[in-house]
Amino acid sequence: MKILDAEIACEVIRPRLSETHKGDYGRVLVVGGSEPYGGAAILAASASVYSGAGLTFVACAAENHAALTARLPEAIYVDAKTASFEENLTRADVVLIGPGLGLGSGGLLEKVLRGLSAEQTVILDGDAITLWAKKATKTQARLIFTPHQMELERLSGLAIGSQTDAALQAFVEKVGAIIVAKGPETRIARPGWEMEKVIQGVPAQATGGMGDTLAGMIAGFVAQFHSDQAVSAAVWLHAEIAGKLAESQYVVLPTAIISQIPFEMHNVIK
Amino acid sequence: MKILDAEIACEVIRPRLSETHKGDYGRVLVVGGSEPYGGAAILAASASVYSGAGLTFVACAAENHAALTARLPEAIYVDAKTASFEENLTRADVVLIGPGLGLGSGGLLEKVLRGLSAEQTVILDGDAITLWAKKATKTQARLIFTPHQMELERLSGLAIGSQTDAALQAFVEKVGAIIVAKGPETRIARPGWEMEKVIQGVPAQATGGMGDTLAGMIAGFVAQFHSDQAVSAAVWLHAEIAGKLAESQYVVLPTAIISQIPFEMHNVIK
Amino acid sequence: MKILDAEIACEVIRPRLSETHKGDYGRVLVVGGSEPYGGAAILAASASVYSGAGLTFVACAAENHAALTARLPEAIYVDAKTASFEENLTRADVVLIGPGLGLGSGGLLEKVLRGLSAEQTVILDGDAITLWAKKATKTQARLIFTPHQMELERLSGLAIGSQTDAALQAFVEKVGAIIVAKGPETRIARPGWEMEKVIQGVPAQATGGMGDTLAGMIAGFVAQFHSDQAVSAAVWLHAEIAGKLAESQYVVLPTAIISQIPFEMHNVIK
Amino acid sequence: MKILDAEIACEVIRPRLSETHKGDYGRVLVVGGSEPYGGAAILAASASVYSGAGLTFVACAAENHAALTARLPEAIYVDAKTASFEENLTRADVVLIGPGLGLGSGGLLEKVLRGLSAEQTVILDGDAITLWAKKATKTQARLIFTPHQMELERLSGLAIGSQTDAALQAFVEKVGAIIVAKGPETRIARPGWEMEKVIQGVPAQATGGMGDTLAGMIAGFVAQFHSDQAVSAAVWLHAEIAGKLAESQYVVLPTAIISQIPFEMHNVIK
């Protein structure tokens, strides 16, 4: 078990090269935001944008279109019911499905998983994990899960008390996916790789929307940093920002973390 | 009569334990925000979120859904006309009904009061108080009222000039509820408990939406602090923040107070 | 001609008394915001709220309801087509009609002017002035106009080159209204009163929405300060804020001014 | 080839004269913001407003009306399907077409280009360039293109590797338009004029919506500064702001740049 520290961020977050354009920083497609849960998709997309993804698209319910655009004009809306969705799916570097998805979207999850190729990454968060636990559709894409403890139980069959490092690693090897097992200490497990742990998380961040925010950061990092450790760096930086903000705030809200991302990413490389 | 000071906040607002997650900080359901009054529900929900409630749901008119999501992506929208409302009602730790409710929502208030169990708390604010004064539906839930002087008159039958401490306490004993009697000096009365008073309120906060904000703070505090004094701490901290902001602002707006909550809660425990 | 300085603000803006509540600070009803011009009504209402009006209502097109609520949750939406509009009209202390009204709203203007009593104040801004110039409906209410030069020409028949102090005063005496004649130097003319002038205005504020913002400030000041000089104080403070912001900004936007109002009102009384 | 520095901004951005009003600072009409791309139009319009354009109108899809108004109340919505669009087209000093336009809007582009007179300027950005490359409708208006490398290829037929200074200048002479050729070093080419280059751009600004923001700044500058060098000054200042923000932020978002415009324009003239 490796305890992550600032080094992981230094390795992953590299100074941008001057001859680059937004196309070099990846396309993220967030799929979620069913009618009641638009905020979750907005938070995830915001975290992706503020992490530096080149382009961030959001496929969400039409009822949340106006709020998305008002809140985050940098993002682009996608109507999941039109052909533009398929096109965006094909062109995305990273698809994050789950934030605010709702449990009625099993068909959409299947469509996403089947539609992706081996060059793409798909991150399953929140309800997408619960849906996948019921019906594990195969996918060509690199697969990342970001479960909290209850979702990990559904996903792996491991009861919360039995989610030991060994059991988690064994499941990761079996399923062939990266798992970000969220908790007071978040573990990152990868097939054939030493497990990593982030220990500076703070309980001030225990509030609704935080998981969506972390998932969005992971998406943004994976899209732009072509490194196996992008996931680890995102998890570490998220906890680092939360810890810093908790020095002056009793509760650290997702929107507070999001606005700090560009500054803390810069602190890493300066 | 006990004059509240910073001590009440220190007793109630405790450092968060590290092995906790959002589920430990309670679920708040705000019911209100009829068509013209969406802002009231947004302010109440914002105060709940910024106070640190684990999850904040808002049942409001569909016309206010987009504004809620644009303004407060941390909150979750609930359609009061679907089954998800009943489910949210059952699962909430605290239901705050009233901010922007409108006087045509008597049926909804009855449904809420009847649907709650003894493990839940219901806060009646604004129009919900006026409606309850007309028809006092019984409820199993712990009951809190947050009337201003005119609403207290409707609620208790006590004319504004007759709302003495003794009369207020007598009414509280009769009705078996906590009453936060708002005014230049806000009193908190509980059955079988010494009355408390907050005296540092400032007239700078006399502006629309402030009651909604206070009610949202109370909801957020009750949801996460399992203490009989959570209500008192919320009322005290609200006045404290208003007083501090009034040192540089002629009028202290609800949104200004809300953004300070996480910082002032931290100041209490540091 | 009196040149206004900080003294006017000191006279008008008084420390709030502790035994007061929002009802003591007046009700403002903004009527405007037809479909394309929702922003104008939002700016006017924001200026009213940030000036400290007790309650601010906005009657605007339904298409602008969501934006109003997302942007300014402290305001309350009014549907001009329902009975609640009449009720709000009757209960308002100040009605500001014009920001974003559109020239197709002559009927609405007539309704407002006819519906008001002598205890109320009506402020005509923007398109409401142009409409009134065509058809001068009588009103019981105290009448204030806030024309820019072209609107003053339409209103008074005085060509821009002929809008001398004497001609303006003569028109004011005839029409029996207060006129805030906006320009590089804004003049405030009242029947039987020495004309006043604000000279610290800056060209940095010459941008769309600024007139709406000033009108909203006037509404907020008239609603809460029961003084004949409330109008003058609002005009002076608006120019004062613009001047201060122009020390660091090339263009001073309405939203920048609005957010400073509570601070600069406090500076006056401290 | 002239390398631009702060001097270009000093020449173009002049202190505002005191006897001026918003009419002196020009009318900008942004045409774009089809359903999925509302954010692009909002960013462009925001950049125009924050640059100091007197009035900024936005013709976009009705689905984006609420978000525009919530985000930028200083702007005015235009329905492209009504007569008000034609009127706005006629009265605009600068029409910026492209941000979020979508490739299905060829008819609208033709209408705009045909409807303008020699006193007006039209800026073609994004999809408008791609559409014009397919069908080059003639226009009386002064023409500005703001292509990135791929769009320049479509526009000029010059493959990305062949977009030399000489080839770009030759194309500019042929087409009779100003071209802002965006890239790590952005070139500004004009018929019969020495080519200019901005070299302080930073890769931190390589993110979605940045082109829309630059186009909006150019529109705002052209509308208010009646100088041939307004385009150059806008491009230089945009890069300057991005560079400054990149000293503390890993990614510089469009909204971060926009909010700095009034301050940096002031720095130029102070």
Side-chain angles (χ1 to χ4, degrees):
Chain A
M1 174 74 70
K2 184 179 169 187
I3 309 295
L4 291 177
D5 57 23
E7 205 179 307
I8 185 73
C10 298
E11 278 168 34
V12 168
I13 305 172
R14 305 304 308 162
R16 288 187 165 194
L17 301 179
S18 58
E19 299 288 313
T20 55
H21 57 83
K22 69 183 170 191
D24 296 312
Y25 300 110
R27 294 169 73 105
V28 170
L29 171 62
V30 176
V31 183
S34 60
E35 196 190 349
Y37 306 115
I42 291 173
L43 292 172
S46 299
S48 170
V49 166
Y50 281 72
S51 295
L55 284 171
T56 301
F57 297 81
V58 182
C60 65
E63 286 88 350
N64 295 314
H65 179 182
L68 168 70
T69 305
R71 184 91 200 178
L72 188 70
E74 286 91 349
I76 300 162
Y77 169 72
V78 177
D79 185 340
K81 288 178 200 110
T82 67
S84 76
F85 178 70
E86 322 267 328
E87 194 204 319
N88 272 292
L89 200 58
T90 306
R91 297 187 61 193
D93 295 296
V94 178
V95 177
L96 163 58
I97 182 164
L101 183 67
L103 291 171
S105 302
L108 190 56
L109 175 60
E110 275 192 59
K111 191 179 185 174
V112 166
L113 290 170
R114 290 214 174 106
L116 296 176
S117 70
E119 282 70 45
Q120 296 174 289
T121 297
V122 63
I123 304 169
L124 273 70
D125 181 60
D127 291 340
I129 297 173
T130 301
L131 288 167
W132 196 90
K134 284 183 199 155
K135 183 176 177 183
T137 304
K138 290 220 167 139
T139 185
Q140 303 277 332
R142 188 162 74 129
L143 193 57
I144 301 175
F145 294 97
T146 56
H148 56 50
Q149 293 170 328
M150 209 138 68
E151 287 162 350
L152 182 55
E153 176 170 335
R154 285 179 208 133
L155 180 64
S156 66
L158 297 165
I160 291 180
S162 310
Q163 297 171 353
T164 60
D165 295 348
L168 174 59
Q169 188 65 36
F171 179 70
V172 156
E173 302 289 348
K174 190 182 88 180
V175 80
I178 298 178
I179 292 186
V180 176
K182 297 182 289 192
E185 296 187 340
T186 291
R187 292 172 291 172
I188 301 135
R190 260 170 288 204
W193 192 286
E194 189 186 4
M195 195 176 288
E196 295 169 333
K197 201 191 265 191
V198 168
I199 60 169
Q200 86 271 49
V202 287
Q205 65 180 285
T207 191
M210 196 50 82
D212 309 307
T213 303
L214 174 59
M217 281 186 73
I218 295 173
F221 274 54
V222 169
Q224 74 191 289
F225 303 118
H226 308 287
S227 145
D228 279 344
Q229 302 192 293
V231 174
S232 308
V235 176
W236 181 84
L237 195 72
H238 178 274
E240 177 73 4
I241 296 173
K244 285 194 178 177
L245 295 177
E247 287 169 19
S248 63
Q249 301 185 50
Y250 184 78
V251 59
V252 173
L253 295 177
T255 42
I257 288 194
I258 288 162
S259 63
Q260 283 306 107
I261 301 173
F263 296 94
E264 292 299 332
M265 288 178 78
H266 180 266
N267 281 346
V268 165
I269 61 163
K270 83 175 174 198
Chain B
M1 175 72 71
K2 183 179 171 188
I3 309 295
L4 292 177
D5 57 22
E7 204 179 310
I8 184 73
C10 297
E11 278 169 34
V12 168
I13 304 171
R14 305 304 307 162
R16 287 187 166 194
L17 301 179
S18 59
E19 300 287 314
T20 55
H21 57 83
K22 69 184 170 190
D24 296 311
Y25 299 110
R27 294 170 73 105
V28 170
L29 171 62
V30 176
V31 183
S34 61
E35 197 190 348
Y37 307 116
I42 291 174
L43 292 172
S46 299
S48 169
V49 166
Y50 281 71
S51 294
L55 284 170
T56 302
F57 297 81
V58 183
C60 65
E63 287 87 350
N64 295 314
H65 178 183
L68 168 70
T69 305
R71 184 92 199 177
L72 188 71
E74 286 91 350
I76 299 163
Y77 169 72
V78 177
D79 184 340
K81 288 177 201 113
T82 67
S84 76
F85 178 70
E86 322 268 327
E87 194 205 318
N88 272 292
L89 201 58
T90 307
R91 297 187 60 193
D93 295 296
V94 178
V95 177
L96 163 57
I97 183 165
L101 184 67
L103 291 171
S105 303
L108 190 57
L109 175 60
E110 276 192 57
K111 190 180 186 173
V112 165
L113 290 170
R114 290 214 173 109
L116 296 176
S117 70
E119 282 71 42
Q120 296 174 289
T121 298
V122 63
I123 304 169
L124 272 69
D125 182 60
D127 291 340
I129 297 173
T130 302
L131 288 166
W132 195 90
K134 286 183 199 154
K135 183 177 175 183
T137 304
K138 289 221 167 138
T139 185
Q140 304 277 334
R142 189 162 73 128
L143 194 56
I144 302 174
F145 294 98
T146 56
H148 56 51
Q149 293 169 329
M150 208 139 68
E151 287 162 349
L152 182 56
E153 176 170 333
R154 285 178 209 134
L155 179 65
S156 65
L158 297 164
I160 290 180
S162 310
Q163 297 171 355
T164 60
D165 295 349
L168 175 59
Q169 187 65 38
F171 178 71
V172 155
E173 301 290 348
K174 190 182 86 181
V175 79
I178 297 178
I179 292 186
V180 176
K182 297 182 289 192
E185 296 188 341
T186 291
R187 292 172 291 172
I188 301 134
R190 259 170 289 205
W193 192 285
E194 188 185 6
M195 194 175 289
E196 295 168 331
K197 200 190 269 192
V198 169
I199 59 169
Q200 86 271 49
V202 287
Q205 66 180 285
T207 191
M210 196 51 83
D212 309 306
T213 303
L214 174 60
M217 281 186 73
I218 295 173
F221 274 54
V222 170
Q224 74 192 288
F225 304 117
H226 308 287
S227 144
D228 279 344
Q229 302 191 295
V231 175
S232 308
V235 176
W236 181 84
L237 194 72
H238 178 274
E240 176 73 3
I241 295 174
K244 286 194 178 178
L245 294 178
E247 288 169 19
S248 63
Q249 301 184 52
Y250 185 79
V251 58
V252 173
L253 295 177
T255 43
I257 288 193
I258 288 163
S259 63
Q260 284 306 107
I261 301 173
F263 296 94
E264 292 299 332
M265 288 179 78
H266 180 265
N267 281 346
V268 165
I269 61 163
K270 82 176 174 197
Chain C
M1 173 73 71
K2 183 177 170 189
I3 310 294
L4 292 176
D5 57 23
E7 206 179 306
I8 184 73
C10 297
E11 279 168 34
V12 169
I13 305 172
R14 306 302 309 159
R16 288 187 165 194
L17 301 179
S18 60
E19 299 288 314
T20 55
H21 57 84
K22 69 183 170 189
D24 296 311
Y25 299 110
R27 293 169 74 104
V28 170
L29 170 62
V30 176
V31 183
S34 62
E35 197 191 349
Y37 307 116
I42 291 173
L43 292 172
S46 299
S48 169
V49 166
Y50 280 71
S51 295
L55 284 170
T56 301
F57 297 81
V58 182
C60 65
E63 287 86 351
N64 295 313
H65 178 184
L68 168 70
T69 305
R71 184 91 199 178
L72 188 71
E74 286 92 348
I76 299 162
Y77 170 73
V78 177
D79 184 341
K81 289 177 200 112
T82 67
S84 76
F85 178 70
E86 323 267 327
E87 194 205 319
N88 272 293
L89 201 56
T90 307
R91 297 187 61 194
D93 296 295
V94 179
V95 177
L96 163 58
I97 182 165
L101 183 66
L103 292 171
S105 304
L108 190 57
L109 175 60
E110 277 193 57
K111 190 180 186 175
V112 165
L113 290 169
R114 290 213 173 107
L116 297 176
S117 70
E119 282 71 42
Q120 295 174 289
T121 298
V122 63
I123 304 169
L124 273 68
D125 181 59
D127 291 339
I129 297 173
T130 301
L131 288 166
W132 196 90
K134 286 184 198 155
K135 184 177 176 184
T137 304
K138 290 221 167 137
T139 185
Q140 304 276 336
R142 187 162 74 129
L143 193 56
I144 301 175
F145 294 98
T146 56
H148 56 51
Q149 295 170 327
M150 209 139 68
E151 288 161 351
L152 182 55
E153 177 171 333
R154 286 179 208 135
L155 179 64
S156 66
L158 296 165
I160 291 181
S162 310
Q163 296 171 355
T164 60
D165 295 349
L168 175 59
Q169 187 66 37
F171 178 71
V172 156
E173 302 290 348
K174 190 182 87 181
V175 79
I178 298 178
I179 292 187
V180 176
K182 298 182 288 192
E185 297 188 341
T186 291
R187 292 172 292 172
I188 301 132
R190 260 168 288 205
W193 191 286
E194 188 187 4
M195 194 176 290
E196 295 168 332
K197 200 191 267 191
V198 169
I199 60 168
Q200 85 272 47
V202 287
Q205 67 181 282
T207 191
M210 196 51 82
D212 308 307
T213 303
L214 174 59
M217 281 186 72
I218 295 173
F221 274 54
V222 170
Q224 75 192 286
F225 304 118
H226 308 286
S227 144
D228 279 343
Q229 300 191 294
V231 175
S232 309
V235 176
W236 181 84
L237 194 72
H238 178 274
E240 176 73 4
I241 295 174
K244 287 195 179 177
L245 295 178
E247 288 169 19
S248 63
Q249 301 185 50
Y250 184 79
V251 59
V252 173
L253 295 177
T255 43
I257 288 193
I258 289 162
S259 63
Q260 284 306 107
I261 300 173
F263 296 94
E264 293 299 332
M265 289 180 77
H266 181 265
N267 282 345
V268 165
I269 61 163
K270 81 175 176 195
Chain D
M1 173 73 71
K2 184 178 169 186
I3 309 295
L4 293 176
D5 56 23
E7 206 179 305
I8 185 73
C10 297
E11 278 168 35
V12 169
I13 304 171
R14 305 304 307 160
R16 288 188 164 192
L17 301 178
S18 58
E19 299 288 312
T20 55
H21 57 84
K22 68 183 172 193
D24 296 311
Y25 300 110
R27 294 169 73 104
V28 170
L29 171 63
V30 176
V31 183
S34 61
E35 196 191 348
Y37 307 116
I42 291 173
L43 293 172
S46 299
S48 170
V49 166
Y50 280 71
S51 294
L55 284 171
T56 301
F57 297 82
V58 182
C60 65
E63 286 87 350
N64 295 312
H65 179 184
L68 169 70
T69 305
R71 183 93 199 177
L72 187 71
E74 286 92 348
I76 300 162
Y77 169 73
V78 178
D79 184 339
K81 289 178 200 112
T82 67
S84 76
F85 178 70
E86 323 266 327
E87 194 204 321
N88 273 292
L89 201 56
T90 307
R91 298 186 61 193
D93 296 295
V94 178
V95 177
L96 163 57
I97 182 165
L101 183 67
L103 291 171
S105 303
L108 190 57
L109 175 61
E110 276 192 58
K111 190 179 187 175
V112 165
L113 290 170
R114 290 214 174 106
L116 296 175
S117 71
E119 283 70 45
Q120 297 174 289
T121 297
V122 63
I123 304 169
L124 273 69
D125 181 59
D127 291 340
I129 297 173
T130 301
L131 288 166
W132 196 89
K134 285 183 198 154
K135 184 176 176 185
T137 305
K138 290 219 168 139
T139 185
Q140 304 277 334
R142 188 161 74 128
L143 194 57
I144 301 175
F145 294 98
T146 56
H148 56 51
Q149 294 170 327
M150 209 138 70
E151 288 162 350
L152 182 55
E153 176 170 333
R154 286 178 208 134
L155 179 64
S156 64
L158 297 165
I160 291 180
S162 310
Q163 297 171 354
T164 62
D165 295 349
L168 174 59
Q169 188 66 35
F171 178 71
V172 156
E173 301 291 347
K174 191 182 88 182
V175 79
I178 298 179
I179 292 187
V180 176
K182 298 182 288 193
E185 297 187 340
T186 292
R187 292 171 291 171
I188 301 133
R190 260 168 289 202
W193 192 287
E194 189 187 3
M195 194 176 289
E196 295 168 332
K197 202 191 266 190
V198 169
I199 60 168
Q200 86 272 47
V202 287
Q205 66 181 283
T207 191
M210 196 50 81
D212 309 306
T213 303
L214 173 60
M217 281 187 73
I218 295 174
F221 274 54
V222 170
Q224 75 191 288
F225 304 118
H226 309 287
S227 144
D228 280 343
Q229 301 192 294
V231 175
S232 308
V235 176
W236 180 84
L237 194 72
H238 178 274
E240 176 74 4
I241 296 173
K244 286 194 179 178
L245 294 178
E247 288 170 20
S248 63
Q249 301 184 50
Y250 184 78
V251 59
V252 174
L253 294 177
T255 43
I257 288 194
I258 288 162
S259 63
Q260 284 305 108
I261 300 173
F263 296 94
E264 293 299 331
M265 288 179 77
H266 180 267
N267 282 346
V268 165
I269 60 163
K270 82 174 174 198

